[in-house]
Amino acid sequence: MSSIRRYLQFVKPYRLQIIGTVIIGVIKFSIPLIIPLLIKYVVDNIVGNHALSHDEKINKLMLIMGVMLVVFVFLRPPIEYYRQYFAQWTSSKILYDIRDTCFSHIQKLSFKYYSNTRAGEIISRVINDVEQTKTFVISGLMNLWLDIATIILAIILMFSMNAKLTLVSILLFPLYAFSVRYFFGNLRKLTRSRSQALAEVQSYLHERVQGMPVIKSFAIEEYEQGQFDKQNRNFLEKALQHTSWNAKSFSVVNTITDIAPLLVIGYSGYLVIQHQLSLGTMVAFFAYIDKLYNPLRRLINSSTTITQSFASMDRVFEFLDEKYDIVDDPKARVCSNVKGDISFENVSFSYDKNEEMVLKDIQLDVKKGETIALVGMSGGGKSTLVSLIPRFYDVTKGRITLDGVDIRQFKVQTLRDKIGVVFQDNILFSESVRDNILLGKPGAPDEEVYRAAKAANAHEFILNLSDGYNTKVGERGVKLSGGQKQRVAIARVFLKNPPILILDEATSALDLESEHSIQESLEELAKDRTTFIVAHRLSTITHANRIVLIEHGQIVEVGTHDELMTKKGNYYKLFQVQQLEQTKTEAE
């Protein structure tokens, strides 16, 4: 299905409003078509009518002008208002629906998609490209038909006055149509290329604004200016190619529309000299030429903007066509009454079909309420393993079961609703502290929010903020310290109160003092829940029911802290190294 046909699916619910707007528009554009007839009447029937006396001419002129003033002062303005209002209302509603669909699509795309796509590119398509399609609604579905209706009405009125002169007036129409087809055939590709270049500039800028602390800390402003110039210059080149082709098309087509009136002036003047045409008809015809070719010039302008909207449609639907990596099975059921028994049955996983397995034949049974710590060197696959539980990714081989049921048999949203996750770098939105905690349970009463914050040891520091729970935390929680952000993130998991908990290096980025205070909150949070802890500092997970050492995507050792220390295997060596490092750090 073409982009236009797909776009019309969004237009379909508003077809009556569009038809109504077009009808109002036809009335609005028809009113000015009276003026050439008025000129002809005044010139031939009043000014040039020698049978009328001076006073009769004045009376007839005043009468006709009085009628015209009523039409143009009292009738036309409200028609113009409602045409503009309904046109903008309808197009805005269509864009609202498209952006709503885009955001729903954004939320269904997987972590894999976001790891390969820049945020600025997505934003550009949802904001810029969707906005560009508005032209198709206003110009393509409304103004285009109004201009065509105006042209047809003008030709009919012109034929009623003089058929030969009308044929001369439209003599260049075929050449006009050929020029439009020729020049605007290539414009869609150039427009799409320009839009892509603009999206790349926006993506680059979005990343650099977020990473400004890095740029400043490394003092690489000049280097980054050069990098941005490359992106900006690429857009400039694409924009100039588009502009050049667009200018050529305008120069040719406008030349054609300028020649046509000259032909009419010459031929109508000849007819008047030959007494085959009245002076009033000649003046009226010349006025109609303006009414005839002004819509044609508008069609040229519309062609440019509509071409832009077509290119934007292509980009919007290309985005909406992105496949979902994680989808519900048609027979998927709601995940409810969760106990918390989780089993990894010969699980293997790779991020891409052509890449090496990140996890290899993982076999692990976890009972309800157990705390499982996953440890090992960076890159071993710990975080990847826990990301499979809420189906941020799906296993490549094997299966994961929850209470004996393959997690792929649950509706993914209901599965994730039963899992609470605290990441190493928890993202807070720029709203208030209260709003960020409420993400755990939207609509929860204040009492529950306060209780969750107290459980996370966050209540006290929140009250000391400038506006307490109403304090805006800034983008990504920039106004809070690392420890404060973590406590807010923990509070929203307390509020959610899920039966399964995943702590993915939740304290590794904190100093020791913050870590110790937050560790108490995490241990409280983990009580009576099936808990997975991905840990870097082994001293924080000695209390776990079982510790799982993962190396190169495989489970190497499993046991309690005491069992693994007694075994004196790889875990023992890793723990000893960390203890030496910690002792050295404390001594310094």
Side-chain angles (χ1 to χ4, degrees):
M1 188 184 293
S2 69
S3 295
I4 298 172
R5 288 178 63 191
R6 293 177 67 180
Y7 194 87
L8 289 175
Q9 296 300 311
F10 289 96
V11 174
K12 191 175 180 180
Y14 305 99
R15 58 188 181 277
L16 294 179
Q17 287 89 336
I18 290 174
I19 292 169
T21 304
V22 171
I23 292 171
I24 294 171
V26 169
I27 296 170
K28 180 254 182 183
F29 279 103
S30 297
I31 292 173
L33 293 177
I34 302 171
I35 291 177
L37 292 175
L38 176 65
I39 295 171
K40 181 181 182 303
Y41 178 81
V42 171
V43 172
D44 288 344
N45 296 68
I46 298 178
V47 177
N49 190 347
H50 301 296
L52 296 176
S53 67
H54 177 270
D55 290 341
E56 287 175 329
K57 288 181 180 181
I58 294 296
N59 290 336
K60 280 182 172 290
L61 184 61
M62 290 299 102
L63 177 62
I64 194 69
M65 292 310 298
V67 173
M68 289 299 104
L69 281 173
V70 170
V71 172
F72 281 90
V73 174
F74 296 103
L75 180 61
R76 195 167 184 268
I79 291 174
E80 173 65 20
Y81 168 80
Y82 284 111
R83 189 193 80 85
Q84 289 286 351
Y85 176 79
F86 286 129
Q88 293 296 329
W89 183 90
T90 304
S91 59
S92 296
K93 287 287 287 181
I94 291 169
L95 265 56
Y96 168 86
D97 291 345
I98 295 172
R99 288 203 177 102
D100 227 32
T101 300
C102 285
F103 190 75
S104 176
H105 179 65
I106 283 171
Q107 295 192 95
K108 293 176 183 176
L109 290 168
S110 67
F111 276 37
K112 183 178 179 181
Y113 175 79
Y114 290 110
S115 65
N116 295 323
T117 308
R118 295 193 293 184
E121 172 77 16
I122 300 169
I123 293 168
S124 178
R125 299 203 185 204
V126 176
I127 302 300
N128 296 342
D129 287 313
V130 171
E131 188 66 28
Q132 288 288 352
T133 66
K134 185 177 184 178
T135 307
F136 173 71
V137 180
I138 293 179
S139 297
L141 297 179
M142 296 180 188
N143 292 353
L144 179 66
W145 298 111
L146 297 180
D147 287 331
I148 291 173
T150 302
I151 291 168
I152 292 171
L153 285 171
I155 291 174
I156 291 170
L157 291 169
M158 291 163 74
F159 258 111
S160 70
M161 289 189 292
N162 191 292
K164 287 184 179 180
L165 195 53
T166 304
L167 292 174
V168 172
S169 302
I170 62 175
L171 189 64
L172 297 180
F173 270 29
L175 185 59
Y176 167 85
F178 172 78
S179 300
V180 170
R181 182 179 178 83
Y182 173 75
F183 281 105
F184 291 95
N186 195 41
L187 197 60
R188 183 170 179 175
K189 185 173 76 172
L190 291 173
T191 304
R192 186 173 181 181
S193 177
R194 177 183 175 277
S195 297
Q196 179 61 34
L198 179 60
E200 288 170 4
V201 172
Q202 183 166 333
S203 296
Y204 189 88
L205 187 61
H206 183 268
E207 283 185 339
R208 266 46 188 185
V209 168
Q210 285 192 322
M212 195 54 66
V214 176
I215 294 172
K216 288 184 176 296
S217 65
F218 283 92
I220 54 172
E221 286 89 346
E222 286 188 20
Y223 170 78
E224 284 299 327
Q225 185 67 53
Q227 295 299 105
F228 180 76
D229 284 346
K230 289 180 183 177
Q231 298 285 339
N232 205 18
R233 187 167 298 280
N234 178 53
F235 170 65
L236 175 63
E237 290 171 359
K238 296 293 189 295
L240 291 179
Q241 288 173 6
H242 179 273
T243 299
S244 174
W245 191 259
N246 203 28
K248 288 176 185 176
S249 63
F250 269 92
S251 64
V252 171
V253 175
N254 283 336
T255 298
I256 295 170
T257 57
D258 289 340
I259 291 173
L262 296 177
L263 296 176
V264 172
I265 292 171
Y267 186 60
S268 62
Y270 171 78
L271 292 177
V272 171
I273 292 170
Q274 295 294 325
H275 302 291
Q276 297 177 15
L277 192 72
S278 70
L279 182 61
T281 303
M282 175 186 173
V283 176
F285 244 93
F286 189 68
Y288 272 124
I289 282 294
D290 187 55
K291 301 297 180 186
L292 184 65
Y293 278 92
N294 266 347
L296 284 177
R297 292 188 184 97
R298 282 199 299 271
L299 286 174
I300 292 298
N301 289 323
S302 297
S303 298
T304 304
T305 52
I306 290 172
T307 302
Q308 168 73 60
S309 72
F310 288 162
S312 294
M313 279 182 206
D314 292 340
R315 285 170 48 77
V316 169
F317 288 115
E318 182 181 66
F319 171 64
L320 288 175
D321 284 339
E322 287 290 343
K323 303 296 183 186
Y324 304 136
D325 292 318
I326 308 298
V327 293
D328 285 333
D329 186 275
K331 298 180 181 178
R333 56 180 170 170
V334 172
C335 183
S336 59
N337 301 319
V338 171
K339 295 178 182 177
D341 294 334
I342 297 176
S343 293
F344 294 82
E345 300 176 5
N346 306 111
V347 168
S348 296
F349 174 77
S350 67
Y351 287 100
D352 194 274
K353 292 179 181 178
N354 301 320
E355 292 180 1
E356 185 182 350
M357 292 289 181
V358 179
L359 298 173
K360 304 163 188 173
D361 200 30
I362 298 294
Q363 188 78 30
L364 181 66
D365 291 318
V366 181
K367 299 300 180 186
K368 171 188 175 182
E370 269 195 298
T371 295
I372 304 296
L374 303 173
V375 301
M377 300 297 288
S378 296
K382 307 182 297 296
S383 294
T384 301
L385 182 63
V386 294
S387 70
L388 298 177
I389 300 170
R391 291 188 69 194
F392 294 152
Y393 304 93
D394 269 340
V395 299
T396 304
K397 294 180 182 177
R399 69 173 191 159
I400 300 172
T401 64
L402 172 59
D403 298 334
V405 180
D406 191 323
I407 58 173
R408 289 170 293 192
Q409 293 180 21
F410 294 121
K411 291 182 177 179
V412 67
Q413 189 172 3
T414 63
L415 170 68
R416 290 173 184 169
D417 188 51
K418 304 301 179 185
I419 302 170
V421 185
V422 181
F423 296 102
Q424 176 182 344
D425 181 21
N426 283 284
I427 295 174
L428 301 186
F429 297 124
S430 59
E431 287 85 12
S432 67
V433 174
R434 175 185 280 100
D435 290 335
N436 275 283
I437 295 175
L438 279 169
L439 293 175
K441 186 180 177 183
D446 286 347
E447 293 74 20
E448 288 189 39
V449 173
Y450 301 150
R451 192 158 54 244
K454 288 174 183 175
N457 289 328
H459 183 69
E460 187 175 336
F461 93 77
I462 293 172
L463 291 180
N464 289 328
L465 295 174
S466 58
D467 290 318
Y469 280 84
N470 295 319
T471 303
K472 303 286 185 183
V473 302
E475 189 171 4
R476 298 179 69 90
V478 68
K479 294 182 181 179
L480 303 182
S481 69
Q484 289 173 332
K485 284 200 293 185
Q486 287 297 77
R487 283 180 231 184
V488 171
I490 293 167
R492 64 190 180 196
V493 176
F494 265 114
L495 186 62
K496 184 177 184 179
N497 194 27
I500 300 168
L501 183 63
I502 297 173
L503 307 175
D504 191 356
E505 303 214 35
T507 62
S508 64
L510 305 177
D511 57 71
L512 288 174
E513 184 178 349
S514 297
E515 182 183 54
H516 288 319
S517 71
I518 288 177
Q519 195 64 39
E520 295 176 8
S521 304
L522 293 176
E523 289 178 13
E524 179 65 27
L525 182 60
K527 280 183 180 177
D528 302 319
R529 305 177 203 272
T530 303
T531 304
F532 293 84
I533 304 174
V534 176
H536 174 69
R537 292 185 184 134
L538 303 185
S539 58
T540 63
I541 49 84
T542 55
H543 65 285
N545 297 110
R546 277 184 292 165
I547 297 169
V548 179
L549 178 63
I550 298 178
E551 293 181 355
H552 307 297
Q554 294 179 304
I555 294 178
V556 178
E557 296 177 4
V558 179
T560 65
H561 171 73
D562 292 336
E563 288 171 351
L564 294 179
M565 291 298 287
T566 302
K567 187 178 179 181
K568 293 189 176 182
N570 288 355
Y571 175 81
Y572 172 83
K573 294 175 185 176
L574 197 59
F575 191 86
Q576 292 295 100
V577 169
Q578 286 196 8
Q579 288 296 102
L580 287 172
E581 289 176 350
Q582 184 174 338
T583 303
K584 184 178 177 182
T585 302
E586 290 172 353
E588 291 175 350

